[in-house]
Amino acid sequence: MNFPPEVTIKEVGPRDGLQNERTVVPLDAKVEWINLLSETGMSYIEISSFVRPEWIPQLKDATEVAKRIKRDPNVTYAALVPNQRGLERALEVDIDEVCVFISASETHNLKNVNKTIADTIPIIDKVANEAVQNRKQLRGYISTVFGCPYEGETSIDQVLFICDKLLEMGVQELSIGDTIGVADPLHVENVTKALLNHFPKDRIAMHFHDTRGTALANVITAMNLGISKFDSTVGGLGGCPYAKGASGNLATEDLLYMLHRMGVHTGINSEKVSEAATYISQHVPALSSHQMKLLNS
Ligand code: MG
């Protein structure tokens, strides 16, 4: 095996994790949780989403969260931004990194943002332009890269097309998402190789879900090809909306355990991550079960 000596973990729990949790977490708890995460040595936390509050009531307090958290200068605080109105809100509270998003499959994009891919691209383009003008870092999430709940497997040409578009707009990093957790290592190898044929590896982060228990195997596969940036959520927060009871995002603790055992540097203190997980598990029932599994092991 041929690993990068260092891996960057991007904690997306406060956004991607909470977005799929039904129990509403109080503002104070979100702020305290993000403050605890800031103390773990992580360099990146996605704190919320500036989508319309009616779309995701759980994240309607994005502005307050951004205003109230203690900002560590070594941490990039990112947030999801769907359109110009969202960008205005994100700029008002001086978010470090703006994250745009689009699906690689037409039907998923339509269900997610009520627009075709062709109609979504110009909206993202405007957001990207203005974000860059305001000297914000820019990240692009691509959903359903490995499969779509409505269309099945996604074509790699479609993925490359979207990646190209986002990079042209000034997106610095692409987060390649296995939104429904269907990827297996062989599929990851094929997609990663295709991406690396077209784009430099530092432009690519992988976003795996553990719905079917394949997330860590997928990480190893991508690492073997030189990928060194991975998204995860504390406690695996963020159940899959398409498969009831299924695990959500790859758990940060599981990823850290594996990487540290293998001698891969992350700069993150696992014990402090566990403390942050224990804290938020009081507010999210689904997370408590993952915590219990870890505590009992
Ligand atoms: Mg996710």
Side-chain angles (χ1 to χ4, degrees), residues 12 15-17 20 141 177-180 207-209 231-233 237-238 248-250:
V12 296
R15 195 280 300 174
D16 189 14
N20 289 317
Y141 281 102
D178 181 18
T179 313
I180 53 168
H207 182 115
F208 292 124
H209 277 221
D231 299 354
S232 62
T233 68
L237 200 61
N249 291 278
L250 167 59

Side-chain angles (χ1 to χ4, degrees), residues 216-274:
L216 283 178
N218 292 339
V219 167
I220 291 291
T221 306
M223 280 176 71
N224 257 323
L225 294 167
I227 302 296
S228 64
K229 293 184 282 195
F230 296 94
D231 299 354
S232 62
T233 68
V234 159
L237 200 61
C240 175
Y242 307 102
K244 238 187 170 182
S247 313
N249 291 278
L250 167 59
T252 306
E253 299 94 309
D254 294 348
L255 180 56
L256 280 173
Y257 175 82
M258 182 184 78
L259 294 175
H260 290 171
R261 287 277 300 188
M262 299 193 304
V264 177
H265 182 74
T266 65
I268 300 174
N269 181 319
S270 303
E271 276 170 34
K272 288 193 171 174
V273 170
S274 287

Side-chain angles (χ1 to χ4, degrees), residues 156-198:
I156 186 66
D157 287 340
Q158 172 74 355
V159 173
L160 294 173
F161 167 78
I162 298 215
C163 291
D164 254 335
K165 285 278 173 208
L166 292 178
L167 292 173
E168 271 172 29
M169 294 175 196
V171 166
Q172 291 140 344
E173 183 177 287
L174 303 163
S175 174
I176 305 297
D178 181 18
T179 313
I180 53 168
V182 290
D184 62 83
L186 189 60
H187 194 177
V188 170
E189 183 176 38
N190 292 336
V191 169
T192 307
K193 281 182 174 168
L195 290 167
L196 293 176
N197 272 336
H198 291 81

Side-chain angles (χ1 to χ4, degrees), residues 31 47 61-71 92-93:
V31 171
I47 61 164
D61 53 8
T63 295
E64 286 305 306
V65 169
K67 276 186 181 166
R68 286 178 47 184
I69 51 168
K70 226 184 288 163
R71 304 229 190 158
E92 271 165 27
V93 290

Side-chain angles (χ1 to χ4, degrees), residues 11-223:
E11 173 62 45
V12 296
R15 195 280 300 174
D16 189 14
L18 288 189
Q19 176 175 325
N20 289 317
E21 296 297 339
R22 279 219 195 106
T23 320
V24 174
V25 176
L27 171 63
D28 285 347
K30 288 177 186 167
V31 171
E32 177 63 17
W33 181 37
I34 294 167
N35 288 344
L36 288 170
L37 291 170
S38 291
E39 289 170 13
T40 61
M42 285 171 181
S43 58
Y44 187 99
I45 307 172
E46 193 185 32
I47 61 164
S48 195
S49 171
F50 289 96
V51 297
R52 271 163 56 182
E54 313 87 90
W55 287 6
I56 308 175
Q58 171 78 275
L59 302 179
K60 67 179 181 196
D61 53 8
T63 295
E64 286 305 306
V65 169
K67 276 186 181 166
R68 286 178 47 184
I69 51 168
K70 226 184 288 163
R71 304 229 190 158
D72 182 320
N74 299 311
V75 178
T76 297
Y77 296 94
L80 209 65
V81 171
N83 50 33
Q84 265 186 308
R85 175 69 195 117
L87 182 64
E88 282 164 27
R89 292 171 61 207
L91 293 176
E92 271 165 27
V93 290
D94 201 21
I95 285 295
D96 298 323
E97 184 176 271
V98 167
C99 304
V100 294
F101 60 99
I102 188 165
S103 299
S105 70
E106 196 64 73
T107 317
H108 188 266
N109 200 70
L110 209 53
K111 299 239 180 198
N112 203 26
V113 294
N114 212 16
K115 284 185 180 61
T116 62
I117 289 173
D119 288 343
T120 307
I121 286 172
I123 294 172
I124 298 181
D125 195 23
K126 273 192 173 174
V127 170
N129 247 312
E130 216 171 307
V132 171
Q133 272 172 28
N134 281 277
R135 299 202 182 132
K136 296 300 173 190
Q137 294 179 59
L138 197 56
R139 181 172 220 236
Y141 281 102
I142 307 173
S143 306
T144 61
V145 167
F146 298 89
C148 164
Y150 312 105
E151 295 179 17
E153 201 157 314
T154 307
S155 105
I156 186 66
D157 287 340
Q158 172 74 355
V159 173
L160 294 173
F161 167 78
I162 298 215
C163 291
D164 254 335
K165 285 278 173 208
L166 292 178
L167 292 173
E168 271 172 29
M169 294 175 196
V171 166
Q172 291 140 344
E173 183 177 287
L174 303 163
S175 174
I176 305 297
D178 181 18
T179 313
I180 53 168
V182 290
D184 62 83
L186 189 60
H187 194 177
V188 170
E189 183 176 38
N190 292 336
V191 169
T192 307
K193 281 182 174 168
L195 290 167
L196 293 176
N197 272 336
H198 291 81
F199 315 111
K201 65 182 172 198
D202 64 338
R203 292 297 178 110
I204 296 167
M206 291 288 180
H207 182 115
F208 292 124
H209 277 221
D210 211 21
T211 317
R212 293 165 182 83
T214 54
L216 283 178
N218 292 339
V219 167
I220 291 291
T221 306
M223 280 176 71

